[in-house]
Amino acid sequence: MLQQKLHTKLLQKLILTPSLQQAIKLLPMCTLELSDLLNQEMVENPLLEEEPTEELQPADTGAAPEKPEPDQPADKADTWDDQDYEYFFGDYLGDAYRPSAPQDIRELPPIENTLSTTSSLSDHLEWQLSMQTDDPLMREIGSAIVGNLDNDGTLVASFDELTAMGPWPLPEVERALELVQSFDPTGVGARDLQECLLLQLRHLGLAGTPTETIVSEHIRLLQNHQVPELARKLGLTIEDLKEHLEVIRHLDPKPGSRYNPTQSQYVTPDVYIVKVEDQYVAVLNDDSLPHMRISPVYRRLLDKNADNSAETRAYVKDKFRSALWLIKSVEQRQKTIQKVATSLINFQRDFLDHGIEHLRPLVLRDVANDIGMHESTVSRVVTNKYMHTPQGVFEMKYFFHSGISSSYGESVSSVTIKQRIRKIIENEDPRKPLSDSTIVSTLHREGLVLARRTIAKYREELKIPTSNQRKALY
């Protein structure tokens, strides 16, 4: 039998208020993202406005200037949720509306019209295709081939896939591919590295030479730098073989990359580390952030004596609360970033003075304990943030790395070890590249005990080839 009963139950749970959710949302934003958000909020919320930088001087009309009305004292009977907004947020409530001076701005062309553009690989090839043939079918298939080239100029679609696009006959697709492979840059349209190099050698008139034979029949020996074996296979001396290898070394394995350059990514530092006398100071970069305040004009709509409808008053109250909490959230975000940056200065002082070799191991928990915040808060703060230091511009996450204990009892950052590995390899004899085991022994003599697989892992992260691949072609 079903019965209705009442039960009491005690629960403890965390509820994120809208203001707290907003503050958490702002933390991981970089300065540029935050600036866009604040500008958008000022468009949507009429009670938010940017503080004017210059006051407009009143015109001399001969009349006595009007005295600004003093702010009405807060009526205790008209408090909102028993909160004194005047007391807590007085700094953001402007004295009076001060419009910025009008400016005579000429109509200029849009910024998009002043930017230069470079021709992409597909544009370059499509132009050549239009110049090389009037055959509509060849142009159609050729465009499909060009559309299936990667940034290096390599064809990533098979003949079966190309023929199914039309559908087109296989001989026509082969003829169109041969046409595209004759275009500039030489080697474009190849299906793999071997074909790319062969196209370039034939363009140089080296078809049928030992140089072509090396690429067409002994590409594996070439990639593994097995020079003596190559010489034996071709019946050449080492000295004669060097001439052919030198030609191959000057070929371009990625001919299309020159038409698809990587766009430069410009970073605006969120924090500047400045040295003042003998101490480092964290200075926040808030130049691009609008300095907001509550619009005095709209705030007067909330005055006790204002003749406004209940609907208008309720709307302004809601927007007033949103504006105040946004301003406070931004302020809290800036204070939190300041704390984290100052903590990083204290932990990484040696790095700021001497460079990457002196970067110490650091985890989020260390900074969180130092500033009295949760690790998740520190993680949000360092996300998408950059610091300008005396050693260069670094992402704030860069300063957090695990450590490896040395035989001297100190922990060494993994970044420092990677830097040491890079320098060891840079100073090696190219005729006799150092193996990972040799690097292990070298670091062991310096007090760093690491496994060979750890060295191999760090070397791969640094994008450094193996010793066999680094061996010079001698």
Side-chain angles (χ1 to χ4, degrees):
M1 180 177 178
L2 298 177
Q3 294 182 349
Q4 290 184 343
K5 295 182 179 180
L6 295 177
H7 297 277
T8 59
K9 188 176 182 181
L10 184 62
L11 292 176
Q12 187 178 24
K13 60 181 180 178
L14 176 64
I15 299 177
L16 295 179
T17 63
S19 58
L20 181 57
Q21 293 177 10
Q22 184 181 61
I24 293 176
K25 176 185 175 182
L26 298 183
L27 271 181
M29 289 185 175
C30 66
T31 302
L32 297 179
E33 292 173 335
L34 180 60
S35 177
D36 291 340
L37 174 68
L38 297 183
N39 286 319
Q40 182 62 30
E41 288 290 335
M42 284 192 293
V43 170
E44 297 177 357
N45 191 338
L47 269 80
L48 277 174
E49 69 177 20
E50 188 169 2
E51 292 184 2
T53 56
E54 296 181 2
E55 293 189 13
L56 179 62
Q57 299 296 331
D60 187 6
T61 60
E66 296 183 3
K67 293 183 179 180
E69 295 182 3
D71 291 341
Q72 297 291 333
D75 191 343
K76 293 184 178 180
D78 190 37
T79 57
W80 306 355
D81 304 329
D82 297 325
Q83 298 184 41
D84 191 346
Y85 284 90
E86 286 281 348
Y87 177 78
F88 287 105
F89 302 110
D91 292 342
Y92 310 112
L93 308 179
D95 297 332
Y97 180 64
R98 298 173 293 176
S100 57
Q103 298 179 359
D104 181 17
I105 302 178
R106 294 185 298 107
E107 185 69 25
L108 297 176
I111 187 64
E112 293 83 358
N113 293 354
T114 66
L115 302 177
S116 61
T117 58
T118 57
S119 176
S120 65
L121 176 64
S122 59
D123 293 336
H124 184 57
L125 296 177
E126 286 284 0
W127 173 76
Q128 294 179 79
L129 182 64
S130 65
M131 296 292 102
Q132 291 286 345
T133 179
D134 294 328
D135 186 343
L137 182 59
M138 282 295 98
R139 287 191 176 185
E140 187 178 0
I141 302 175
S143 294
I145 292 174
V146 170
N148 282 278
L149 301 179
D150 62 15
N151 290 336
D152 296 332
T154 303
L155 180 62
V156 294
S158 65
F159 274 142
D160 290 339
E161 292 171 330
L162 290 173
T163 54
M165 290 180 186
W168 300 304
L170 179 59
E172 296 298 324
V173 174
E174 292 175 341
R175 189 160 67 92
L177 178 59
E178 185 177 352
L179 176 64
V180 172
Q181 289 179 345
S182 67
F183 293 166
D184 174 76
T186 307
V188 73
R191 285 157 288 184
D192 52 36
L193 174 62
Q194 186 179 41
E195 186 176 21
C196 177
L197 299 180
L198 288 174
L199 288 171
Q200 295 178 60
L201 290 175
R202 290 162 188 168
H203 178 75
L204 295 172
L206 296 176
T209 64
T211 308
E212 185 192 40
T213 304
I214 293 173
V215 175
S216 62
E217 299 180 14
H218 308 294
I219 187 72
R220 295 301 176 192
L221 295 178
L222 177 67
Q223 290 175 324
N224 294 328
H225 306 292
Q226 295 177 272
V227 178
E229 182 66 13
L230 264 176
R232 189 184 66 80
K233 291 277 188 182
L234 296 171
L236 299 173
T237 63
I238 298 295
E239 291 300 320
D240 291 339
L241 181 61
K242 282 184 182 180
E243 299 178 5
H244 302 287
L245 296 180
E246 191 65 22
V247 173
I248 297 174
R249 289 178 63 183
H250 285 83
L251 300 179
D252 189 354
K254 300 177 180 180
S257 60
R258 74 188 74 166
Y259 290 95
N260 292 298
T262 303
Q263 295 294 327
S264 299
Q265 299 294 325
Y266 295 96
V267 172
T268 301
D270 300 87
V271 183
Y272 287 90
I273 306 301
V274 181
K275 193 169 187 179
V276 180
E277 295 181 352
D278 194 38
Q279 297 296 325
Y280 289 102
V281 179
V283 180
L284 295 184
N285 177 20
D286 57 359
D287 292 341
S288 60
L289 296 180
H291 297 277
M292 301 180 301
R293 70 172 187 178
I294 301 298
S295 170
V297 175
Y298 282 92
R299 186 169 61 89
R300 292 194 185 97
L301 297 177
L302 297 173
D303 290 344
K304 186 72 174 178
N305 299 327
D307 185 16
N308 299 312
S309 65
E311 182 180 359
T312 299
R313 189 173 179 82
Y315 171 81
V316 176
K317 278 185 179 181
D318 180 63
K319 293 298 182 181
F320 187 82
R321 291 191 184 97
S322 299
L324 286 178
W325 283 118
L326 177 62
I327 293 175
K328 293 297 291 183
S329 297
V330 173
E331 182 179 303
Q332 184 63 36
R333 171 191 182 271
Q334 299 299 85
K335 289 181 179 178
T336 306
I337 295 176
Q338 179 88 36
K339 288 182 179 179
V340 172
T342 302
S343 180
L344 287 176
I345 290 175
N346 297 332
F347 280 110
Q348 302 293 0
R349 174 64 187 256
D350 290 340
F351 162 81
L352 298 174
D353 286 333
H354 306 293
I356 295 178
E357 291 81 2
H358 297 269
L359 188 69
R360 62 173 292 184
L362 191 66
V363 294
L364 293 173
R365 183 171 56 255
D366 297 332
V367 174
N369 293 337
D370 182 45
I371 63 177
M373 292 185 176
H374 196 271
E375 293 178 40
S376 61
T377 302
V378 178
S379 176
R380 290 187 179 95
V381 169
V382 300
T383 300
N384 299 325
K385 310 290 190 312
Y386 288 84
M387 285 207 319
H388 184 282
T389 73
Q391 305 298 332
V393 178
F394 297 89
E395 191 174 8
M396 292 183 76
K397 283 184 177 181
Y398 179 83
F399 299 98
F400 294 91
H401 287 281
S402 58
I404 296 176
S405 299
S406 68
S407 58
Y408 303 109
E410 298 179 351
S411 293
V412 182
S413 169
S414 58
V415 176
T416 302
I417 296 175
K418 291 179 184 178
Q419 183 74 3
R420 183 70 188 111
I421 293 173
R422 184 190 297 277
K423 287 192 174 183
I424 291 174
I425 293 176
E426 286 177 352
N427 295 327
E428 70 183 3
D429 184 355
R431 298 172 183 266
K432 297 179 181 179
L434 301 176
S435 64
D436 293 342
S437 299
T438 305
I439 297 176
V440 168
S441 302
T442 303
L443 293 176
H444 183 73
R445 289 193 295 270
E446 298 177 2
L448 297 172
V449 182
L450 294 96
R452 189 197 62 80
R453 63 178 177 272
T454 304
I455 298 298
K457 173 188 173 183
Y458 288 168
R459 178 179 49 74
E460 291 173 358
E461 290 177 357
L462 292 170
K463 301 187 185 313
I464 297 176
T466 63
S467 57
N468 286 337
Q469 294 172 336
R470 297 197 308 271
K471 188 174 182 180
L473 299 177
Y474 286 101

